[in-house]
Structures are given as structure tokens and as C-alpha cells.
């Protein structure tokens, strides 16, 4: 089958590799290179880098609403378009191009967690399980019928680990559905609209720590942290991003700070949190205990939210 693939972040890589190993990929669409680092150097997306390693043609339109993009996609003559966290909405003109349709790898058990941040929202809300759905793309957000859903336990995974597990499960489900589409045996199931929930983009405020939080809620915020929305705290007037943490046996009042040999401990509403890995402002990631030794917090030091 002749396929066009559309994706941008690392989540899309297992699907891209799986599709490219089984089908003819006419082109890979991904978002334009973004400036990054102190030099604001244009940086390719993970999908662009991998597509070039696989010897695949790469297309990076800033929008798909230009009629010229519909003509370009039509000229590629795809039987189907595969989408995985591409980052652009597909207008009706694009959806009408492939005769077998456009299919999307969505990181939730649709209709739960429709939208931009299904993985982080599942963690923040304490979901016991989530999953991945292979759905047909329609005009409405994540509302198309699905052909496969695979459950994945959330456990204690952080956003990166859970996204990786969902990406692998999604790749396997995607190639299975593509095979059914090619054979003409695929069965599309309508979503139950009465069960739909939404997962809007997570902000830094959504994952910020503050002393009034219970330990469980604080840990979920640490695990849901990402580069674009990092978990943050102000510890003894020092701004830190919290990368990894665990429940602490220390007895501290909410807002209290304790630096011990095994780590840096923050008092919460019903216990304490041990910061295992932190990234102080302007510095690289380091061990929480090493940060505490260098910071030399005085007796009576406190912590608060980093507004």
C-alpha cells in the first residue's frame, strides 16, 4: 500500500518505522524546523531526522490549508494517510485525498481524553489505565470512528515513559489496521459521545508544586512534567525544576525544608516529598542531595510555589 505519514515528536517514531517497514511511504510530513538552544539554531523534528535516516522524502508545510498543499498531496497518490501527533489539523480537502482515508494514532482510549495532552492528563487525574486508539480522522477533534484500541496501565510511569509505551502499542495497532484497510476487512466503530472527555494542553501552572498539595497529587504533578510544562518549586528562594521525586519519611510541616544525606525533602499537606532529581534555574540536571549540599539551606528554610 502507498502511504503518506504525518508526525512530528518522538511519539510518532515507532509508527513511522513500523509503517516504513511494511508499506511504500511516498512522503513524510512534519512540522517546520524550530529554533532551539542559545543560538536559536533551526532544529529538525525527531520525525524529520528519522525519515531522512530511512531515506524518505520529507515535506514541511507551515499549513495544510493552502490549496497548493492539497495538490501536492494528491500528486503523491497515497492510498492512505497515517497521522501520529503531527501538530496540524487536516482540512476537509486533505481528508478527501486518500481513497482509504486518513487514520490517526491517538494516545488515549477514545472517547476519553480527546485533545492535546491525553498522556499528561491521565497521569494528573490518577487514571489506573489509559491506552492508544487507531481512529479515522474526521473534521471534529478526535471524534472519528475507531478500528483498534489497546489498553496500557499507567502505574507509576512518568509522561515520557508512558508516552513511549503508548507509542510502541500504537505502532503495532496501526500496522494491523493498515493491513485490514488494504484487505478491505477493517471495521470502524463509532465513538460513544456520552463518554467523551477532554484533555486540554497542560501548562506549567497545572504541574507546579505548592505546600498545600497532598503527597499523591504532588507526585502526579512531577510525573506529568514535560519540557514544555515542567514541574517547578521555589526552595529557599532558589528556583528548581523537579525532575524526579518519591514519598519521604521526613516529618515536616507544609512548606518546611529538610536537607539530609539521602536527599532534599519538602513538607506537604499530609507528608513530605523527597526530590531525587532537580534542575536548578540556569544549571543542568543534578541529584537532589547534591543540590541540597551546594545550596546549604539554613535552619528554618521554607519552600513555596514558583509562580
Amino acid at each position: 500500500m502507498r502511504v503518506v505519514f504525518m508526525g512530528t515528536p518522538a511519539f510518532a517514531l515507532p509508527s513511522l518505522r513500523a509503517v516504513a517497514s511494511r508499506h511504500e511511504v511516498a512522503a513524510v510530513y512534519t512540522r517546520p524546523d524550530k529554533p532551539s538552544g542559545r543560538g536559536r539554531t533551526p532544529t529538525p523534528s525527531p520525525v524529520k531526522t528519522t525519515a531522512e535516516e530511512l531515506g524518505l522524502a520529507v515535506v514541511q508545510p507551515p499549513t495544510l490549508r493552502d490549496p497548493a498543499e492539497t495538490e501536492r498531496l494528491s500528486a503523491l497518490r497515497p492510498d492512505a494517510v497515517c497521522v501520529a501527533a503531527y501538530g496540524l489539523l487536516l482540512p476537509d480537502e486533505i481528508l478527501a485525498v486518500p481513497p482509504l482515508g486518513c487514520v490517526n494514532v491517538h494516545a488515549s482510549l477514545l472517547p476519553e481524553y480527546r485533545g492535546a495532552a491525553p498522556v499528561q492528563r491521565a497521569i494528573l487525574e490518577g487514571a489506573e489505565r489509559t491506552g492508544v486508539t487507531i481512529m479515522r480522522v474526521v473534521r471534529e477533534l478526535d471524534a472519528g470512528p475507531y478500528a483498534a484500541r489497546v489498553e496500557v496501565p499507567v502505574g507509576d510511569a512518568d509522561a515520557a515513559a508512558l508516552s513511549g509505551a503508548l507509542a510502541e502499542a500504537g505502532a503495532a495497532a496501526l500496522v494491523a489496521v493498515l493491513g485490514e484497510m488494504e484487505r478491505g476487512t477493517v471495521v470502524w466503530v463509532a465513538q460513544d459521545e456520552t463518554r467523551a472527555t477532554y484533555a486540554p494542553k497542560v501548562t506549567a501552572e497545572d504541574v507546579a508544586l505548592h505546600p498545600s498539595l497532598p503527597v499523591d497529587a504532588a507526585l502526579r504533578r512531577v510525573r506529568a512534567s514535560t519540557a514544555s510544562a515542567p514541574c517547578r518549586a521555589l526552595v529557599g528562594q532558589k528556583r528548581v525544576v523537579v525532575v524526579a521525586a518519591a514519598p519521604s519519611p521526613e516529618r515536616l510541616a507544609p512548606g518546611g525544608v529538610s536537607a539530609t544525606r539521602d536527599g532534599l525533602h519538602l513538607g506537604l499537606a499530609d507528608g513530605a516529598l523527597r526530590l531525587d532529581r532537580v534542575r536548578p534555574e540556569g544549571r543542568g540536571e543534578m541529584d537532589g542531595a547534591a543540590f541540597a549540599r551546594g545550596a546549604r539551606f539554613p535552619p528554618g528554610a521554607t519552600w513555596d510555589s514558583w509562580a
Side-chain angles (χ1 to χ4, degrees):
M1 185 157 60
R2 188 172 170 85
V3 171
V4 162
F5 188 90
M6 298 180 176
T8 298
F11 174 80
L13 298 184
S15 289
L16 172 59
R17 294 192 181 101
V19 170
S21 70
R22 294 166 174 80
H23 298 281
E24 177 189 0
V25 179
V28 175
Y29 281 56
T30 190
R31 299 288 286 136
D33 296 359
K34 292 178 64 175
S36 67
R38 293 184 177 179
R40 308 304 292 165
T41 304
T43 303
S45 72
V47 161
K48 180 181 180 180
T49 301
T50 299
E52 291 179 339
E53 290 172 354
L54 295 172
L56 301 173
V58 174
V59 183
Q60 296 179 277
T63 177
L64 293 178
R65 298 193 179 280
D66 187 334
E69 292 304 331
T70 303
E71 294 179 10
R72 173 154 60 180
L73 183 64
S74 298
L76 292 170
R77 298 178 291 102
D79 297 308
V81 170
C82 300
V83 185
Y86 177 35
L88 283 179
L89 295 178
L90 276 58
D92 291 346
E93 294 78 8
I94 292 290
L95 295 177
V97 171
L100 295 183
C102 302
V103 293
N104 181 50
V105 183
H106 189 79
S108 83
L109 294 173
L110 291 172
E112 299 174 358
Y113 298 116
R114 291 175 176 174
V119 176
Q120 292 166 276
R121 291 293 176 188
I123 293 172
L124 284 172
E125 294 177 10
E128 293 183 356
R129 61 100 176 93
T130 184
V132 66
T133 300
I134 310 301
M135 54 157 281
R136 186 159 186 153
V137 184
V138 296
R139 178 187 295 179
E140 297 77 17
L141 179 67
D142 299 332
Y146 62 87
R149 294 198 305 169
V150 181
E151 282 197 15
V152 174
V154 175
D156 294 329
D158 61 20
L162 183 56
S163 181
L166 293 168
E168 294 293 342
L174 175 62
V175 295
V177 169
L178 287 178
E180 294 171 355
M181 293 169 64
E182 189 173 29
R183 295 189 294 272
T185 59
V186 66
V187 176
W188 299 103
V189 179
Q191 295 186 37
D192 181 355
E193 292 294 324
T194 65
R195 295 180 50 245
T197 61
Y198 291 87
K201 183 178 179 180
V202 169
T203 67
E205 183 65 25
D206 290 326
V207 291
L209 296 182
H210 54 80
S212 64
L213 286 170
V215 172
D216 285 349
L219 281 171
R220 290 198 297 272
R221 292 188 177 207
V222 175
R223 289 165 41 215
S225 177
T226 63
S228 60
C231 179
R232 310 184 304 178
L234 185 65
V235 185
Q237 304 306 311
K238 297 181 184 298
R239 295 175 172 180
V240 296
V241 168
V242 182
V243 178
S248 165
E250 291 285 306
R251 294 187 176 183
L252 293 168
V257 173
S258 172
T260 66
R261 182 175 298 179
D262 69 336
L264 176 62
H265 309 264
L266 307 182
L268 289 161
D270 62 351
L273 196 67
R274 186 187 69 215
L275 307 191
D276 292 332
R277 300 289 298 173
V278 298
R279 189 169 60 252
E281 188 175 38
R283 302 172 65 184
E285 184 177 317
M286 64 177 64
D287 184 84
F291 167 69
R293 287 194 297 272
R296 297 181 179 178
F297 295 110
T302 60
W303 77 279
D304 206 336
S305 61
W306 173 1

